[in-house]
């Protein structure tokens, strides 16, 4: 066998699935400079508009000034600073947990935590639409892998009843490609009845849902019943890094076993310090104002797309076309009209469930959201959209 890299790329191309990196530069408000022109960005996860905010720029610059640039070692060697500990305390408080541990990314948090807690002889049960990092982490753990159809509590219960070893249920709280929410009360009820634990990935809920933007579990008053609360600093919090909030004992075990924490350089301490500021901002009055603008935009887009305000569950609203080529074409046409809205295709979502994935931010002005609605309505009339909001992902 030879390394036929060009052939592999041709295969991807022929299937209409070739992807490319595209650089852009930040512009004013929700605008970005892309391919030499200013367009409205409807694809970022910067839900509260923190990433480019003067507040966070200043906080990061100040932190670099006093902490330096890099951390120079892994956490267990000499990379841990006061800033990391402060951030972890702030995260624990934010999540109503005893402790928290920060990682270089959400992906790294999943990859470290899951195999540290479950292994051969155990069972990990995932919602079918769970993020790739959760699937990869479950595979890496060596535990038996079971999957239930999206939010299907009956199937989850059957899997719980037949699972062996220690059992971990894994789900997102807001699903990243569908924008809908986990059936959390039912999932928690079931995992408790069967003595299982729950890992809840709140990547897209933090900053957006719940009091102080603390997420879906907090909105429902259920945080104390979630053993592993996972999240990221890289979406609504505008920075970079992931975390697990849990009991003190779990955090201590992760320090000893989570390989993505132990065998990698600690995140720059300035990032941790800036993250503390981002958290304070997001929890406080500024965060509440940003959330109010974000939700005004969400309701307005849902109305404009004809999907009903009440079914808008998050800042992610997919318009499902089904056909990969149709989604690519609609995305290209929107770009021509000045809207950056990505087409999401296999393997990120299931074949035949390609979609436009619109994400909103507190930075969007009302008239900008209305203009997008008009463009989508014209380019993709309801008759060309596929039924159902939650077409299954691989
Ligand atoms: C983005 C995302 C992650 C990964 O977080 P990073 O900090 O970007 O690595 C994990 N889970 C979900 C659901 C996500 O959307």
């Amino acid at each position: 066998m030879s390394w036929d890299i060009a052939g592999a790329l041709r295969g991807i191309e022929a299937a209409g699935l070739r992807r490319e990196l595209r650089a852009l530069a930040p512009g004013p408000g929700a605008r970005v400079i892309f391919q030499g022109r200013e367009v409205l960005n409807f694809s970022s996860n910067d839900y509260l508009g923190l990433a480019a905010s003067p507040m966070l720029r200043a906080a990061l610059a100040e932190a670099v000034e006093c902490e330096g640039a890099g951390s120079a070692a892994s956490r267990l060697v000499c990379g841990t600073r006061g800033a990391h500990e402060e951030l972890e305390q702030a995260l624990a408080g934010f999540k109503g947990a005893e402790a928290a541990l920060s990682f270089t990314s959400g992906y790294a948090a999943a990859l470290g935590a899951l195999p540290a807690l479950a292994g051969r002889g155990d069972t990990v049960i995932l919602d079918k639409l769970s993020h790739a990092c959760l699937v990869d982490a479950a595979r890496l753990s060596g535990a038996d892998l079971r999957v239930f159809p999206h939010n299907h509590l009956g199937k989850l219960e059957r899997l719980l009843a037949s699972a062996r070893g220690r059992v971990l249920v894994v789900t997102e709280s807001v699903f990243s490609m569908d924008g809908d929410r986990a059936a959390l009360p039912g999932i928690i009820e079931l995992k408790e009845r069967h003595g299982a634990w729950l890992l809840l990935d709140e990547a897209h809920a933090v900053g957006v849902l719940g009091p102080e933007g603390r997420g879906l579990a907090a909105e429902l008053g259920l945080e104390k019943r979630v053993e592993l609360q996972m999240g990221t600093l890289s979406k609504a919090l505008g920075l970079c890094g992931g975390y697990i909030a849990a009991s003190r004992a779990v955090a201590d075990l992760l320090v000893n076993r989570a390989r993505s924490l132990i065998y990698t350089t600690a995140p720059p301490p300035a990032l941790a310090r800036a993250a503390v500021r981002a958290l304070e901002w997001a929890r406080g009055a500024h965060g509440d104002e940003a959330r109010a603008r974000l939700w005004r935009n969400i309701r307005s887009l849902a109305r404009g797309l004809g999907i009903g305000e009440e079914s808008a569950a998050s800042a992610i609203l997919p318009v499902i076309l089904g056909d990969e080529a149709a989604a690519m074409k609609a995305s290209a046409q929107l770009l021509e009209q000045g809207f950056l809205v990505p087409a999401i295709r296999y393997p990120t979502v299931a074949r035949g469930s390609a979609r436009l994935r619109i994400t909103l931010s507190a930075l969007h002005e009302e008239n900008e959201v209305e203009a997008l609605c008009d463009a989508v309505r014209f380019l993709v009339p309801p008759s060309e959209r596929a039924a159902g909001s939650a077409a299954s992902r691989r």
Side-chain angles (χ1 to χ4, degrees), residues 105-107 131 133 172 176 201 203-204 230 232 234-235 241:
S105 69
Y107 195 112
H131 191 265
C133 72
E172 290 174 42
S176 58
D201 180 354
H204 294 280
M230 176 182 148
T232 175
S234 57
K235 288 172 177 150

Side-chain angles (χ1 to χ4, degrees), residues 15-94:
L17 297 172
R18 174 99 183 231
R19 306 175 188 211
E20 272 162 357
L21 299 171
R22 318 182 290 184
L24 51 75
R31 291 165 186 275
V32 291
I33 319 298
F34 185 58
Q35 295 175 348
R37 114 197 135 87
E38 209 172 271
V39 295
L40 272 170
N41 190 1
F42 283 99
S43 61
S44 121
N45 303 315
D46 184 21
Y47 301 124
L48 300 178
L50 266 173
S53 70
M55 184 285 290
L56 202 50
R57 284 172 196 239
L60 188 56
E62 243 170 68
V64 168
E65 205 45 56
C66 84
E67 300 280 352
S71 65
S74 66
R75 289 290 301 272
L76 281 169
V77 175
C78 65
T80 297
R81 305 270 196 91
H84 296 114
E85 293 177 340
E86 241 177 76
L87 171 61
E88 288 168 347
Q89 266 162 28
L91 286 167
F94 183 60

